[in-house]
Amino acid sequence: MLLDGEEWRRRFAEIEREAWRLETLPQYLVAHEAEEFAAFREGRPLTPYSNSAYTERVSRQHSEGKRNGRVHIVTQPLSDYLRFEFTRYYEAHSRAGDDIRILDVTNRSNPLENVQDFWMFDRAEVVLMNYGADGRQLSREVFEGDVSSFVEYQRVAIAESVPFEEYVNGGLRA
């Protein structure tokens, strides 16, 4: 089943314990980010990032004892998009309570090679994130099967990564 619109938003609004994501791409091309990303690449000042519906939801859920988290697999040098994402979103999302971690595979093998991007909700439902080669989202698809392999992917990703703040402050794990 493909997800869009209200069905997609409902997944986040109704978590009981956790929404978690694995990000594997060096770039995500999102239409609403195009202008800000272009400004970033050109060295122009960005408009201040204020609270968004995402940060407000994460903050509220965090105060309710619910978790939002992600691990992003990266290699050095970071792409322009990753540098943009780190400064534009990850700092603010982290402050809101998003548990963001970085798995740098520059000088090591990727323990999650060939695992595609996904969201997992309450370790019970997985939504596969399908992207084109350029990082444009093609679709979101509910995984129809046993999610235990995705729970294991999450365990490995967390165990092999470092917190975002540690990563950007020099805590790269080799």
Side-chain angles (χ1 to χ4, degrees), residues 3-139:
L3 283 180
D4 209 357
E6 189 55 39
E7 279 298 307
W8 175 237
R9 287 185 288 280
R10 187 175 58 76
R11 298 302 196 278
F12 295 94
E14 296 180 358
I15 64 168
E16 293 178 19
R17 293 176 309 283
E18 179 183 54
W20 190 84
R21 176 168 177 150
L22 179 68
E23 294 178 302
T24 66
L25 301 178
Q27 173 173 282
Y28 296 92
L29 295 181
V30 182
H32 74 270
E33 295 177 343
E35 188 175 317
E36 289 290 324
F37 183 41
F40 176 83
R41 287 186 12 222
E42 295 165 7
R44 291 186 281 132
L46 301 178
T47 57
Y49 182 71
S50 60
N51 281 348
S52 65
Y54 182 85
T55 56
E56 290 172 8
R57 179 185 53 77
V58 167
S59 182
R60 184 185 77 259
Q61 288 176 331
H62 185 74
S63 70
E64 295 169 353
K66 298 174 184 178
R67 292 178 35 93
N68 287 270
R70 70 185 65 226
V71 170
H72 200 141
I73 300 172
V74 304
T75 57
Q76 294 284 337
L78 295 178
S79 68
D80 286 346
Y81 181 82
L82 286 175
R83 290 184 307 101
F84 167 74
E85 184 177 55
F86 281 19
T87 58
R88 182 77 177 153
Y89 299 111
Y90 279 8
E91 290 176 7
H93 294 174
S94 186
R95 282 192 305 274
D98 206 347
D99 180 22
I100 301 171
R101 300 179 65 85
I102 306 298
L103 173 53
D104 190 317
V105 295
T106 301
N107 297 314
R108 57 181 276 194
S109 62
N110 182 347
L112 297 169
E113 189 73 38
N114 299 320
V115 176
Q116 80 174 84
D117 283 45
F118 67 89
W119 274 98
M120 183 165 50
F121 301 94
D122 295 321
R123 295 186 176 179
E125 181 180 52
V126 169
V127 176
L128 301 172
M129 306 297 288
N130 300 310
Y131 293 93
D134 65 354
R136 290 183 202 283
Q137 187 177 88
L138 303 174
S139 65

